[in-house]
Amino acid sequence: MNTPAKLVTYVAGLAVVFGAALGVGSAVGEVGEVGAPPQATAPSESADAGHGESTSHGDQNGGQNSATTKPAQAAAQDTPGGLQVSQNGYTLTPLTATIKPGEPTDFAFTVTAPDGRPVTDFQVQHDKKVHFIVVSRDLTIFQHLHPEEGANGVWTVKLTLPEAGVYRAYADIFPTGASALTLGADLFAAGDYAPKALPQVSRTAEVDGYTVTLDGDLTPGKSSKLTLKVSKDGKPVTDLQPYLGAYGHLVALRAGDLAYLHVHPDGEPGDGKTKPGPEITFYAEVPSTGDYRLFLDFQHDGTVRTADFTARAGAATAGPTASPSTSPASDHDSTPHGH
């Protein structure tokens, strides 16, 4: 065969081989997948379990879901209340933008549901549908107020921020059909601001002639029994009055991030076993070591008073130093309470 004929035959052969290759490529997918072993397109579950990733986009999304969803859900469940403005689709929305220090303000807010509409149906907790707690960021000022319900899911409360600075507001709520939760948002009172140091750890508080002593220690991750004893002029107070369905209410806030912790009283008035003082017992579970601020509200002689403490979790809360209450509760019609 002459040279031109050989070349024609060779080129024709290449065309056949190339065409066959294109046919195979079209049948199995993109060119980059041609050389992959058959099992690579369908990775086994054991491979994903060992490496936490997948070789295909669909499986990779599935791997991310299985690897991160459960830890994320666990983290959400472990997050204390009050750290988020929105949780489980419910959002705390302040409607009042300006608050001047020292001036009473008609503060308004709504709680919106997952569908974006204001919530108008709440379960009653401790005789109220909404408990509104406001603390200064340095945890030296504490108020617990009870807003009034208006039209279209708008709540209003007479709020006075006594000093310039940053405050944290909590809405402690139980939307009907959902679960109880605490939402939090920052409030601002414009002006010169000098944060105060956290009050020292103490087992004794003095407020309006009353002395309240704290017995018990906070242990992270465990339910801790706290007993607070109320006395006046050196004599035990044995005729505490019910306030919002209990002889006392306690709010615990973690220093640093102001995480809001639910604290439950042991017993209630009229149950046949709970005495009206001098001791009030609570059970609290704190998530971590560190300092916490405790605010106890109790009612006697028709007036609600607030005693405050600094306690340390993970170490003894020793120290006899008194911590005078700085709560402005007695200055307001709506007095504070704990939950």
Side-chain angles (χ1 to χ4, degrees), residues 54-64:
S54 171
T55 55
S56 69
H57 183 68
D59 290 339
Q60 186 175 20
N61 287 340
Q64 288 176 346

Side-chain angles (χ1 to χ4, degrees), residues 208-249:
D208 294 343
Y210 292 82
T211 300
V212 183
T213 56
L214 170 65
D215 183 32
D217 296 308
L218 296 172
T219 303
K222 295 183 179 180
S223 180
S224 304
K225 182 179 179 180
L226 302 176
T227 301
L228 296 110
K229 186 175 182 178
V230 183
S231 63
K232 185 179 182 182
D233 300 327
K235 298 179 180 180
V237 175
T238 59
D239 57 346
L240 292 172
Q241 298 166 322
Y243 174 62
L244 298 174
Y247 286 124
H249 294 267

